[in-house]
Amino acid sequence: MDKRIGTEHKAQLNRLKRIEGQVRGLSKMVEDQRYCMDILTQIKAIKSALVSVEANVLESHLTHCVTKAMNSKSSSDAKKVISEIKDILKR
């Protein structure tokens, strides 16, 4: 793994790799024509895991990038990050 990757990013990558494994398992379940409720349960678990990663990335962004922009002397930097957050939350 790249030594420049921070601790938070390593944790996010590890979580994404686990989710990737869950998705492969889900594909196998569909191939094997497993019971629909089991498949739906796995889909729900994957969605929940993705929401968790999303929340962690957002928290990291707010803690680091947004704080840095807000503390900068540039009002355009602050407006840019606020606009980015508003745009992503609208989607």
Side-chain angles (χ1 to χ4, degrees):
M1 203 172 280
D2 192 333
K3 292 179 181 170
R4 295 172 293 170
I5 296 176
T7 305
E8 289 180 38
H9 287 92
K10 284 182 186 177
Q12 292 165 359
L13 284 171
N14 288 337
R15 187 64 188 127
L16 288 169
K17 287 177 184 180
R18 283 192 297 270
I19 293 168
E20 182 180 15
Q22 286 178 291
V23 172
R24 281 194 304 273
L26 177 62
S27 294
K28 180 86 170 97
M29 290 174 75
V30 172
E31 276 180 15
D32 294 346
Q33 298 181 9
R34 294 272 302 270
Y35 183 55
C36 293
M37 291 307 297
D38 293 341
I39 293 170
L40 290 170
T41 299
Q42 187 64 22
I43 291 169
K44 182 84 171 148
I46 292 167
K47 287 171 64 176
S48 177
L50 282 171
V51 167
S52 179
V53 171
E54 178 186 34
N56 288 335
V57 171
L58 179 59
E59 181 179 352
S60 177
H61 182 64
L62 291 171
T63 301
H64 301 289
C65 303
V66 174
T67 300
K68 182 180 176 182
M70 296 307 235
N71 290 333
S72 77
K73 303 282 185 214
S74 171
S75 65
S76 66
D77 285 350
K79 287 178 184 176
K80 180 182 175 209
V81 294
I82 289 170
S83 179
E84 288 173 340
I85 291 170
K86 285 171 36 180
D87 290 345
I88 197 76
L89 292 175
K90 286 179 185 176
R91 288 191 236 158

